[in-house]
Amino acid sequence: MTLERRYNPLNVDELGRNAARALICYPLSKLPPPDAFQGCGVYTIHYHGTFPAYTCMGSDEPIYVGKADPPGKRQGRIATAHNKTTLYGRLTHHARSIDSAGNLDLADFTCRWLVLDPVWISLTEQVLIAKYQPLWNVVVDGFGVNDPGKGRRNQKRSQWDTLHPGRPWAAELADNPSTPDTITATIRHHRPNGESQ
């Protein structure tokens, strides 16, 4: 039996993996980064603290993977995306969310980011999520959500806001059926040996 050997470096999935590898090669930085920068792209957020639910995490795996698409992407208006601080703004927004949580310390978080051409952003995010299965992407839902606004305050509080209370607008939402204990149990089931699945 002959094993077929094929490799296409321009395959779409391989291009996404290349961008993901490029991101991970950069050193971890403070969250948010100390200096503003322009562009859109992808990022990872990493936790280095002692919150009990996260002691099962690997030493360098991200707790969250995200993307910052150019403003106006859905309307096809992305010509000036490279002139805006969209990716930096997203990291800053996340830092505020973490800082508002009563049981997390922003000093325990770092990040990586990579500015990308808009065509590669979603693909690279998908590759990173599939590889790392970050807890705040696939287990503890709601970290990346925004204030739903007064007209939609009948929504339930996210799992993230249930486990990490503190965002003022989330306190006004209805209770989530999951408790901090059940969310923690789900995390430990997802990471039974302290390693990425």
Side-chain angles (χ1 to χ4, degrees):
M1 176 176 159
T2 303
L3 293 176
E4 187 173 8
R5 300 185 187 186
R6 289 188 182 181
Y7 175 69
N8 179 1
L10 298 181
N11 175 279
V12 171
D13 290 336
E14 186 60 28
L15 291 170
R17 286 190 288 269
N18 286 340
R21 284 190 289 265
L23 168 67
I24 297 303
C25 285
Y26 283 98
L28 291 166
S29 172
K30 180 180 174 183
L31 179 69
D35 299 311
F37 58 89
Q38 295 180 335
C40 302
V42 296
Y43 56 91
T44 57
I45 294 176
H46 302 258
Y47 179 63
H48 313 282
T50 58
F51 188 75
Y54 304 139
T55 57
C56 57
M57 290 180 57
S59 60
D60 195 40
E61 71 174 287
I63 197 166
Y64 186 73
V65 167
K67 66 177 179 174
D69 284 316
K73 178 183 176 185
R74 285 181 292 176
Q75 295 82 26
R77 297 180 285 109
I78 59 174
T80 60
H82 60 282
N83 293 328
K84 308 222 180 268
T85 57
T86 308
L87 180 51
Y88 175 78
R90 182 65 55 85
L91 291 167
T92 301
H93 174 77
H94 287 326
R96 284 196 297 267
S97 289
I98 291 167
D99 203 33
S100 69
N103 53 13
L104 294 175
D105 185 344
L106 182 57
D108 291 331
F109 288 83
T110 57
C111 65
R112 288 186 172 103
W113 72 91
L114 184 66
V115 174
L116 288 169
D117 186 289
V119 72
W120 305 117
I121 292 174
S122 291
L123 175 63
T124 306
E125 181 197 39
Q126 291 169 16
V127 168
L128 288 163
I129 291 173
K131 176 176 174 59
Y132 292 106
Q133 297 287 290
L135 292 179
W136 288 358
N137 289 92
V138 301
V139 180
V140 185
D141 188 47
F143 172 64
V145 301
N146 295 311
D147 183 345
K150 292 182 181 178
R152 294 183 289 168
R153 288 281 163 85
N154 59 342
Q155 295 180 8
K156 287 189 170 45
R157 191 175 302 122
S158 74
Q159 290 184 331
W160 192 88
D161 289 292
T162 300
L163 191 60
H164 302 297
R167 291 196 280 199
W169 55 265
E172 300 177 23
L173 302 177
D175 288 343
N176 191 295
S178 298
T179 66
D181 286 342
T182 59
I183 296 168
T184 299
T186 305
I187 291 170
R188 297 207 178 279
H189 178 74
H190 184 69
R191 292 282 193 273
N193 300 315
E195 296 177 357
S196 300
Q197 299 291 299

